[in-house]
């Protein structure tokens, strides 16, 4: 089943997603397949996108699809179990508003406990910054939060086209800016 990515303003994006009970439930498996399909379609259409949370396509489950080496394709019920003392600022993007960048502050590292679709529990400890910021972003979606809810500083939003045209200048405004 093809599901569209919801845009900012969709009421379901502000709701807290329900925990997944049984990973072998056929409905959970169908939703996981839809989530993976949505991630791959977005990546193909836009050239970016490392992960997508289920609420972004209207699925009310604590589930995230990932295109990140070393991670399962889909994780369920992820929880942050540790945060670093250090925080960093960065420009965040999102599939729900692909033409906008938002300046946010996030923990420099986190540890995440989750379950994969086989039921295996994973603990990903003290994640590197690129993975830490990604997982914080996606878990925010599960908690009904968007990057706009985490915006910091003046001029915290910028059109992606302006950001890309002046990437070096925008990179100087934050602690961390991944390379394209």
């Amino acid at each position: 089943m093809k599901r569209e990515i919801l845009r900012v303003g969709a009421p379901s994006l502000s709701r807290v997603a329900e925990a997944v009970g049984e990973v072998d439930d056929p409905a959970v498996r169908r939703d996981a397949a839809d989530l993976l399909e949505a991630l791959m379609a977005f990546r193909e259409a836009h050239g970016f996108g490392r992960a997508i949370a289920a609420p972004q396509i209207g699925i009310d489950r604590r589930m995230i699809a990932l295109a990140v080496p070393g991670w399962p394709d889909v994780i369920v019920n992820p929880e942050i179990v540790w945060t670093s003392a250090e925080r960093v600022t960065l420009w965040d993007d999102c599939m729900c508003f692909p033409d906008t960048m938002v300046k946010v502050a996030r923990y420099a590292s986190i540890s995440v406990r989750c379950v994969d679709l086989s039921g295996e529990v994973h603990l990903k400890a003290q994640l590197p910054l690129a993975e830490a910021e990604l997982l914080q972003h996606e878990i925010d979606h599960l908690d009904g939060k968007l990057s706009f809810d985490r915006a910091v500083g003046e001029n915290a939003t910028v059109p992606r086209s302006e950001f890309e045209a002046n990437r070096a200048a925008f990179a100087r405004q934050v602690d961390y800016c991944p390379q394209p």
Side-chain angles (χ1 to χ4, degrees):
M1 176 193 312
K2 176 75 173 155
R3 296 189 193 222
E4 296 298 318
I5 295 171
L6 301 175
R7 296 294 181 205
V8 170
S12 59
L13 291 175
S14 62
R15 289 195 292 266
V16 176
E18 294 290 322
V20 173
E22 299 295 325
V23 295
D24 58 353
D25 178 327
V28 169
R29 297 300 180 130
R30 280 191 303 274
D31 287 346
D34 287 353
L35 195 56
L36 279 169
E37 178 185 22
L39 176 59
M40 295 306 125
F42 185 91
R43 289 170 60 86
E44 185 175 315
H46 296 277
F48 73 95
R50 298 172 290 159
I52 186 171
Q56 290 178 268
I57 60 170
I59 297 172
D60 185 30
R61 297 189 195 275
R62 295 189 75 79
M63 185 181 315
I64 298 169
L66 295 157
V68 178
W71 283 82
D73 289 341
V74 175
I75 60 173
V76 298
N77 300 331
E79 61 179 314
I80 298 172
V81 296
W82 172 85
T83 60
S84 64
E86 180 185 9
R87 293 177 63 87
V88 296
T89 56
L90 61 113
W91 288 102
D92 203 6
D93 60 6
C94 183
M95 294 176 182
C96 295
F97 44 91
D99 299 323
T100 305
M101 302 294 287
V102 180
K103 190 185 325 177
V104 300
R106 299 220 184 263
Y107 293 104
S109 182
I110 62 172
S111 295
V112 174
R113 183 175 34 239
C114 59
V115 177
D116 66 22
L117 290 176
S118 71
E120 183 179 342
V121 176
H122 298 263
L123 176 62
K124 299 286 193 169
Q126 297 182 356
L127 294 173
L129 181 54
E131 290 180 23
E133 65 90 4
L134 174 66
L135 268 291
Q136 288 171 84
H137 175 101
E138 299 307 331
I139 291 171
D140 271 355
H141 277 297
L142 301 180
D143 294 334
K145 303 273 187 232
L146 294 175
S147 300
F148 297 111
D149 298 316
R150 305 271 188 227
V152 296
E154 293 182 29
N155 304 313
T157 62
V158 65
R160 179 180 284 275
S161 58
E162 185 178 329
F163 177 86
E164 293 299 342
N166 301 295
R167 180 177 274 276
F170 285 108
R172 288 190 295 273
Q173 297 176 20
V174 293
D175 302 314
Y176 170 71
C177 190
Q179 296 303 311

